[in-house]
């Protein structure tokens, strides 16, 4: 079925069960952010949001066939899984490279997601005089684009803007580096769809401090969980030694093909191992779930011959 959302997807209960141990468990459902903390009240950022790192890769470890291009790797069932994961998180985050290459909607296109409490980031729900003629997803995550160097040329025709304008998604939050500005066209595109420009500190290489970013999202948006969908640089930074302990769980879709030379590979700055691992198949795709082993000695043992 096709609506302003695109093709609505189904992800049945029997396909969901293996994912549950790796997903955020929100109880109670979405609450508005409390007033800003005072000297006598504890900050709400004492607990960082749950971070699920998820992406699709080829058998040779590539996200795309060429840097800067979009490559469809997921089959229909694992694509539906991605949208189910979105429905279970308060926010979804991608890097500027993914936003430039894919022009994503960053919404949820499931027809059967469970109703979640209304987010304080979304406009109030207005009573409908007539039932909707077509089934609609009942929850959309807050879309976030990490763009510390202002690479993304967002405008009124960007898919995430059009989705928000059609009520098929929320206004996008764009994370810029301190001192970095969008021009008037980009600023109006973000703010005109109900989004925000958020500025955070970056290091000499233009990388954000993830712990501080997550605190900002929790404090200013009441965000309790973030689904990170890439791209390659975001994955690499999150798996680096500086961000140890940030990622709560990992869900990787492995497509049954090789992309060959020239692809954009996923790599980590240090050896990193998963624990609590579970594999499943969805159609022709493999799905790997796990949590990061944060011990410094968790890498591979080097054997001498």
């Amino acid at each position: 079925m096709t609506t302003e959302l695109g093709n609505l997807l189904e992800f049945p209960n029997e396909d969901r069960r293996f994912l549950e141990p790796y997903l955020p468990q929100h109880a109670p459902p979405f609450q508005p952010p409390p007033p800003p903390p005072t000297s006598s009240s504890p900050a709400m950022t004492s607990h960082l949001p749950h971070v699920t790192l998820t992406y699709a890769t080829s058998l040779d470890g590539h996200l795309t066939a060429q840097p800067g291009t979009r490559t469809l790797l997921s089959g229909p069932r694992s694509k539906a899984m991605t949208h189910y994961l979105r429905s279970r998180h308060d926010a979804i985050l991608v890097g500027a490279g993914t936003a430039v290459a894919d022009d994503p909607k960053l919404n949820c296109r499931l027809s059967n997601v469970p109703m979640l409490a209304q987010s304080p980031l979304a406009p109030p729900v207005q009573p409908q005089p007539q039932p909707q003629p077509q089934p609609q997803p009942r929850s959309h995550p807050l879309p976030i684009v990490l763009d510390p160097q202002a690479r993304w040329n967002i405008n009124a025709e960007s898919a995430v803007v059009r989705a928000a304008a059609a009520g098929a998604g929320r206004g996008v939050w764009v994370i810029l580096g301190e001192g970095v500005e969008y021009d008037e066209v980009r600023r109006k595109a973000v703010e005109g769809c109900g989004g925000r420009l958020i500025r955070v500190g970056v290091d000499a290489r233009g990388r954000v401090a993830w712990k501080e970013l997550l605190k900002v999202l929790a404090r200013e948006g009441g965000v309790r969980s973030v689904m990170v969908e890439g791209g390659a640089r975001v994955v690499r930074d999150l798996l680096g030694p500086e961000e140890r302990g940030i990622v709560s769980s990992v869900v990787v879709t492995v497509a049954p093909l090789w992309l060959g030379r020239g692809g954009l590979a996923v790599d980590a700055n240090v050896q990193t191992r998963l624990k609590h691992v579970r594999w499943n198949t969805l159609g022709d795709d493999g799905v790997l779930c796990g949590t990061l082993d944060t011990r410094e000695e968790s890498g591979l043992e080097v054997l001498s011959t």
Side-chain angles (χ1 to χ4, degrees):
M1 181 175 295
T2 303
T3 68
E4 296 91 343
L5 291 161
N7 293 323
L8 296 183
L9 306 171
E10 301 284 343
F11 193 62
N13 289 333
E14 56 267 25
D15 285 344
R16 303 180 184 187
R17 296 188 183 99
F18 81 99
L19 294 166
E20 292 305 313
Y22 308 95
L23 299 183
Q25 305 299 319
H26 293 158
F30 225 130
Q31 297 291 326
T38 65
S39 58
S40 60
S41 64
M44 69 171 290
T45 55
S46 57
H47 297 288
L48 295 177
H50 177 110
V51 174
T52 302
L53 177 61
T54 179
Y55 57 90
T57 180
S58 63
L59 291 173
D60 45 359
H62 293 156
L63 297 177
T64 63
Q66 293 180 340
T69 63
R70 184 181 185 186
T71 304
L72 297 178
L73 293 174
S74 300
R77 289 176 65 187
S78 55
K79 180 180 179 181
M81 178 196 73
T82 297
H83 285 267
Y84 175 67
L85 294 176
R86 292 181 180 184
S87 78
R88 293 291 303 272
H89 291 77
D90 290 343
I92 172 177
L93 183 147
V94 298
T98 298
V100 170
D102 293 358
D103 188 25
K105 293 184 177 73
L106 299 179
N107 60 2
C108 176
R109 298 199 293 275
L110 284 189
S111 64
N112 58 349
V113 294
M115 175 66 80
L116 299 180
Q118 179 70 12
S119 166
L121 302 166
V125 175
Q126 300 297 324
Q128 296 294 328
Q130 304 263 339
Q132 291 290 337
Q134 298 173 334
Q136 297 286 336
R138 303 186 184 97
S139 172
H140 294 292
L142 169 68
I144 302 171
V145 173
L146 185 61
D147 192 16
Q149 297 173 319
R151 296 173 52 204
W152 184 31
N153 289 319
I154 184 175
N155 56 64
E157 295 304 312
S158 296
V160 69
V161 175
R162 290 188 286 108
R170 295 180 181 169
V172 61
W173 285 23
V174 180
I175 310 300
L176 297 173
E178 287 182 349
V180 175
E181 298 291 341
Y182 267 0
D183 57 38
E184 190 73 2
V185 172
R186 292 188 284 180
R187 183 184 64 79
K188 285 185 175 180
V190 172
E191 296 177 350
C193 71
R196 291 181 60 185
L197 298 175
I198 306 291
R199 290 169 179 81
V200 297
V202 297
D203 63 17
R205 290 178 286 178
R207 300 184 309 176
V208 303
W210 279 88
K211 184 175 292 186
E212 296 308 311
L213 171 58
L214 292 171
K215 288 180 179 180
V216 169
L217 296 179
R219 181 177 65 247
E220 300 196 18
V223 171
R224 303 160 302 169
S225 57
V226 182
M227 175 180 173
V228 178
E229 287 197 26
R233 180 173 180 178
V234 171
V235 174
R236 181 171 62 248
D237 288 349
L238 277 175
L239 295 179
E242 301 90 348
E243 310 300 347
R244 190 178 300 274
I246 292 293
V247 175
S248 309
S249 57
V250 177
V251 180
V252 177
T253 299
V254 182
L257 80 162
W258 289 268
L259 289 178
R261 294 181 179 177
L264 181 63
V266 181
D267 58 8
N269 291 320
V270 294
Q271 292 180 356
T272 306
R273 182 186 295 274
L274 288 178
K275 60 182 180 179
H276 306 134
V277 172
R278 183 176 296 180
W279 283 91
N280 196 21
T281 55
L282 292 175
D284 292 334
D285 298 332
V287 179
L288 168 66
C289 302
T291 59
L292 288 179
D293 190 336
T294 57
R295 297 172 301 171
E296 292 188 4
E297 68 275 12
S298 64
L300 298 175
E301 182 181 359
V302 178
L303 301 177
S304 58
T305 57

